[in-house]
Structure formats: C-alpha cells, structure tokens
Amino acid sequence: MAGSATPSTAASTPKSRSVFRAQTLGALALQVFQAPCPSVVKVTVEGKLDASVKVQVPGAKMEGSGLPALCRAGKTWTVTFLSSSAARGPMTKGSLMIQGFDAVPFCVAHNDQGHTFVQSKGKWRYTALSAPRWNWRENAEKPTEGTAADLEVIGARSADSVPHLKVHVRSASEVELKRCLQGLALREAQAEEDYDMLLAQVTKAKTAGVDREQIEQAEERLRGMRKMGKHVNDGCDKESLKLLMQWEKVTRCGETGVNETCKASPDCPCNEEVNCGEVLSIVPSAVQLLLKDFGPEGDKELFDELSASALAVEEGSVWKAGGKLIFSAFDRNQSVQALTRMLNNVGRARCVKMLLQMVKHSEAEYGGFVTAIQINFHPNGESFHAQHRDIYSAKQRAGPSCTCTFKKCVGTVCYTVGSSRQVLLETMTDMFSAVKPCGEHCTGRRERRWLHSGDAMYFNEAWNANHTHGIPPIDGESGPRISVAFLLGAEESRIYQKMLLPNEVPQ
Ligand SMILES: [Zn+2]
Ligand SMILES: [Zn+2]
Ligand SMILES: [Zn+2]
C-alpha cells in the first residue's frame, strides 16, 4: 500500500508521528479482527491453457473475490481461504473443480493429526485428466486432444505459513489422453451389467495404465458378476454345448461356389480375381493331413478334442461374440500360450498337442509367427461371423498405396472342422482397399465359397486390405462347425494379448 509509512520516515516529524500512531493502532485493530480467521489454504492456478476453476472449502471463506471466471493462461491466479472460526483444526478438506474435469478432493494438514493429500490419501502430486466424450461402444474415432492438470499440494512449513495447492493446466500428452479415455470407458462399462464389455474394458484399461484403484474396483465388480453367473452367456453353458457340439450332428453340403461380379461394368477393377500382392488359398483336407499322427480322421479328432475341452474347463471360457461363440482362455486372452496353459491345467494334453502341431504347420507353411488364436464355435446354421477384416496391428494400413508394400508373412490361416459352411468374400472399394470402384453405380464383387471339414483358408495382409470375409447364416439344416484361426505376424510375439469388445470388429 502506497499510504503506509515506514517507522523511520514516520518518526521524522512530530506530526507524522501521530499519523503513524493512528495507523499502527488501525493495523493492530485489523490484526485483532483477523486473528480469529487464520488462512487455511492457498490455491494458485497457472498454465499453458485457459481454465475455469472453482474451489470449495467447507467451513472456510474466500478472501477477496477469489478466482476470476476464467483463469487465463500465462498468469498466476491466487485464491486464499480463511477459516470461519478461530481454530483451524487438524486439517482442512476441499474440492477442486476444473471445468471438464472430475472434482478432485484435497486435504491440507494444520498439525500432526491432519493429512495432506490431493486426489487420494498419500498422494502429494496428481495429474488430473480430461478429454472430450468418446463413443467407445461404437468404436468411434478417438478424440485427439485432452487436458491435463498437474496438481501439487505443499504443506505448511511453519505454524504461520499457509498450505498451498498448485494447479498447472496444460495439454495432455498422447499417453495421458489414451489413459484418460480408457479410464472413462472403464467407468461407463462399470455402471452397466454387461460382463463381457467390462472384462474387455478392464484389459484395455490395464494396458493404458489407468489408475490401479479404478481397475481394482472394476475387478471387484467382475467377481461379483461371476458369483451371479453373468459370465456365462446364453447358449454357452456346458449343458447346451454338450448337446450341440457333437460330431454325429455334423452336416456336409454344397460343392460349387458363386461369384457375383460387379453388375455395373464387366471391366470393373472389383472383378479382378487376384490383385497385386494378394494371396488367397483354400486347401482341402489340410487338417486330416497335418494331424495324421492323431488318427485317420484328424478333423474329427480335433473337433472331438475341442468340444470335450470346452466341457472340461471352467464355464465361461466359451462366450458369445457377434453371431458365434468363442472358445478361449477364461480371461479371454487370445494368445496360444494362455489357451494351452488353461487346457494343460485340466489335463487336455492331447488337445494342446494338436493345437501346437497346427501352430507349427501354419508357421512352416505360410511363414511368420502365430500371434493369436481364435477358436469359433458355430453350433448350427443360425450362427454367423459378420463380414470383417482381420486386424494385424494397431496401425492398420490405410490409403490407396500399392498393396505390394505389405509385409510378407502377415496373414490369417483358418481351419474348419465339422459341418460345411459358406464363406463370403467381398471385394471392398473403401479407403483401406487398393481396389477402385468402376463408377458410382459399382456393385462390387461377392464370392461365396464352401469350406468343408479339414479345409484351410489362408489370406495375406494385401488380400485382407482389399476384401472382407465372414460366415453368413445358412438357410436350412446345418450341424456344428468349429473354426481355428491363427493370426500370423512378421515378428515373434506370442504373449501378445488380443482382446476384443463384443461390438468390435471380430477377428
Ligand atoms: Zn504393386
Ligand atoms: Zn464395379
Ligand atoms: Zn477374420
């Protein structure tokens, strides 16, 4: 204050002495008035982004007018709270509300009995994150920008200093944004009754490094749901599986496929049967040959082993995904290692031997390394596998570039055992495909081919980019079919975890 004189200048004349005296008394009076209201906490806000910040401290009052409606970037904004009573007590609790963020609780100690933390006990520092809404259920595009607030709480160093909560607002890093989005998805999944969805979200949240407390909460919820049997989907109980997955019910049908070419133009690029770099092959009776050591009918042996294994393991290891069932490790990890470990644990060594023989054969025949396994059960003709592309890596190649740039040794091999089913192969002209439509009336090309017991279908990454594949439901009688698909990667990464949301593009 410009008007407050220092004692030395104030003492220079008698007149000013009296002024000084009056001022001193005034200051004393103010101090006496202030004494019952000690400061409890000071909050400062600064950073690289503007932020709207509110602080609530029950039992305390703001000194002055507090923070502005918007704390502009590049400046430090301060608010101090005063106790509304003479004694501050052992600690002061408050809540920090930054627009777009969850409220963050904090606490500052005033003596040994109090606690100092931000977000949760024991934390002196915490980075709060915020991101725009993300429609993860429909696998929508993720937001690309998020906000981070670095929070730090500094305890009072002496009896008369004030504890300090520092808020620094900035853009979230890529890793932070991912963590934030997965955390939000996990929380939303936790509020629902869908076991499958929550399980998939827990795995994703773990990978993204979501707070341990939140993951533990979600896992607790999963345990609760399991106790209520919610992990066993309709038609996936052992009773149903035992009834449907019997070799006696296997049907064989169809011999000739159908190739529906583009109706708009006979010269349509879609009608090209093999595009640059593409490999698609269907090898008849491959399973009988590669499992010949297990009996003359390797396909039947494999079908029986897998059906029996599904009944031997914990209920819930067969689960619904789209129109078909998946048989996997109980935690739905789709690595070969996780599956074979589970099978070995229940004495299914023969089944494991067969699967490992198939892994060995697939790698030798098609190159690359098996990175994931997916076993699908199609109990009858109503079951289906929606049209899709396989996903080999997080970064799916996009754009109109020449398909020859695709790495070798990347692809999918899928073995069929049991009933015959048609596979639908559709030529695509979208942004992921190198095939261009012949014009605006292009109808594309659809090819239906039969897969019989023991057949191996292989396609590489280039073919996968230009086409979708799927198993449509069948009209009329059809018995059970099991497919065993291996994803082949260029690098060895057998512990690779492949988790899918129930509504995600299935493998
Ligand atoms: Zn090329
Ligand atoms: Zn066309
Ligand atoms: Zn697939």
Side-chain angles (χ1 to χ4, degrees):
M1 270 187 289
S4 65
T6 60
S8 59
T9 54
S12 59
T13 66
K15 194 185 170 194
S16 62
R17 188 176 294 134
S18 65
V19 171
F20 163 62
R21 213 181 126 74
Q23 276 184 348
T24 309
L25 282 170
L28 276 171
L30 193 66
Q31 262 176 30
V32 168
F33 176 67
Q34 270 188 347
C37 307
S39 303
V40 286
V41 64
K42 178 175 86 173
V43 180
T44 57
V45 180
E46 42 102 42
K48 296 194 171 74
L49 297 172
D50 296 350
S52 172
V53 181
K54 288 196 175 75
V55 186
Q56 272 182 0
V57 184
K61 56 194 177 206
M62 227 165 3
E63 190 182 51
S65 56
L67 296 169
L70 189 72
C71 296
R72 296 241 175 244
K75 241 193 102 170
T76 301
W77 305 90
T78 306
V79 61
T80 303
F81 286 84
L82 308 174
S83 171
S84 48
S85 55
R88 298 194 294 189
M91 64 188 123
T92 297
K93 288 178 179 174
S95 181
L96 176 76
M97 284 156 298
I98 309 172
Q99 197 173 44
F101 286 71
D102 287 342
V104 178
F106 65 87
C107 186
V108 290
H110 302 304
N111 62 33
D112 307 351
Q113 271 84 57
H115 301 290
T116 294
F117 67 81
V118 59
Q119 179 63 20
S120 56
K121 256 187 199 174
K123 281 187 183 145
W124 287 52
R125 282 200 184 89
Y126 177 71
T127 297
L129 299 169
S130 154
R133 255 209 69 82
W134 170 41
N135 187 0
W136 56 273
R137 283 188 185 81
E138 274 146 52
N139 214 15
E141 199 81 15
K142 281 184 186 173
T144 53
E145 273 171 45
T147 314
D150 298 311
L151 312 176
E152 186 183 1
V153 66
I154 301 159
R157 299 236 160 72
S158 59
D160 53 351
S161 76
V162 184
H164 182 186
L165 174 65
K166 280 169 114 173
V167 180
H168 179 91
V169 186
R170 59 177 171 84
S171 294
S173 69
E174 210 175 303
V175 172
E176 287 171 334
L177 177 61
K178 194 173 174 211
R179 192 167 81 215
C180 177
L181 292 171
Q182 290 304 156
L184 293 171
L186 180 60
R187 188 193 298 169
E188 288 182 18
Q190 238 174 299
E192 290 182 25
E193 294 294 317
D194 191 332
Y195 177 86
D196 302 2
M197 187 99 92
L198 183 54
L199 182 62
Q201 285 305 330
V202 165
T203 308
K204 284 168 185 249
K206 279 181 185 168
T207 313
V210 170
D211 288 348
R212 220 186 50 210
E213 291 96 342
Q214 205 196 332
I215 287 170
E216 280 168 2
Q217 263 180 30
E219 284 182 327
E220 187 53 45
R221 180 93 214 285
L222 284 175
R223 276 191 289 279
M225 288 167 106
R226 278 201 287 274
K227 276 191 198 128
M228 291 158 68
K230 290 197 175 172
H231 62 300
V232 184
N233 301 144
D234 279 351
C236 295
D237 56 294
K238 290 186 181 178
E239 214 49 35
S240 307
L241 294 174
K242 196 174 171 182
L243 208 69
L244 291 163
M245 302 307 289
Q246 293 181 18
W247 184 259
E248 290 68 42
K249 297 191 172 170
V250 163
T251 51
R252 186 182 169 98
C253 55
E255 288 304 332
T256 49
V258 190
N259 186 20
E260 289 172 41
T261 55
C262 174
K263 291 178 181 72
S265 161
D267 306 321
C268 178
C270 295
N271 296 341
E272 194 65 55
E273 296 218 357
V274 182
N275 295 290
C276 181
E278 288 180 5
V279 179
L280 168 70
S281 72
I282 295 176
V283 180
S285 308
V287 178
Q288 287 86 324
L289 190 66
L290 80 95
L291 294 181
K292 63 181 187 310
D293 296 346
F294 296 87
E297 291 176 287
D299 55 336
K300 178 182 182 294
E301 297 295 331
L302 181 64
F303 182 98
D304 286 343
E305 275 296 339
L306 288 171
S307 303
S309 289
L311 301 180
V313 300
E314 194 175 342
E315 209 164 40
S317 302
V318 176
W319 43 287
K320 237 182 182 155
K324 83 287 179 196
L325 313 179
I326 294 179
F327 176 33
S328 71
F330 184 77
D331 69 358
R332 303 190 180 181
N333 180 340
Q334 293 184 13
S335 71
V336 173
Q337 201 185 38
L339 179 70
T340 54
R341 192 190 305 127
M342 174 181 75
L343 294 175
N344 275 325
N345 286 345
V346 291
R348 306 295 304 172
R350 188 164 180 262
C351 190
V352 169
K353 257 191 189 161
M354 286 180 166
L355 291 172
L356 294 180
Q357 175 64 26
M358 292 172 83
V359 169
K360 204 174 120 191
H361 170 85
S362 302
E363 292 179 347
E365 185 73 22
Y366 302 106
F369 298 92
V370 168
T371 57
I373 181 171
Q374 190 175 94
I375 301 178
N376 290 342
F377 282 12
H378 288 266
N380 56 42
E382 284 166 31
S383 75
F384 65 92
H385 196 158
Q387 288 303 113
H388 66 282
R389 286 183 172 101
D390 285 353
I391 301 170
Y392 300 113
S393 66
K395 282 182 199 143
Q396 195 79 330
R397 269 148 245 256
S401 62
C402 167
T403 53
C404 291
T405 59
F406 284 106
K407 271 178 286 178
K408 263 187 176 171
C409 312
V410 176
T412 300
V413 57
C414 180
Y415 301 94
T416 290
V417 290
S419 302
S420 308
R421 289 293 295 262
Q422 264 186 346
V423 60
L424 174 60
L425 313 170
E426 252 187 297
T427 304
M428 301 304 287
T429 54
D430 60 8
M431 65 178 294
F432 299 104
S433 175
V435 180
K436 295 285 146 281
C438 58
E440 59 174 317
H441 301 295
C442 182
T443 63
R445 184 169 69 94
R446 262 171 296 279
E447 199 181 347
R448 287 164 207 273
R449 292 173 73 167
W450 281 98
L451 296 175
H452 302 293
S453 192
D455 290 0
M457 176 169 122
Y458 169 83
F459 53 81
N460 70 352
E461 204 179 5
W463 186 89
N464 185 59
N466 295 345
H467 305 80
T468 61
H469 59 283
I471 305 286
I474 200 167
D475 291 331
E477 214 44 30
S478 175
R481 167 188 183 256
I482 298 175
S483 68
V484 180
F486 295 103
L487 288 193
L488 293 158
E491 282 140 58
E492 189 162 21
S493 53
R494 289 178 200 276
I495 48 160
Y496 179 66
Q497 274 215 352
K498 189 96 208 86
M499 298 293 293
L500 290 168
L501 281 174
N503 56 354
E504 212 169 11
V505 184
Q507 298 288 302

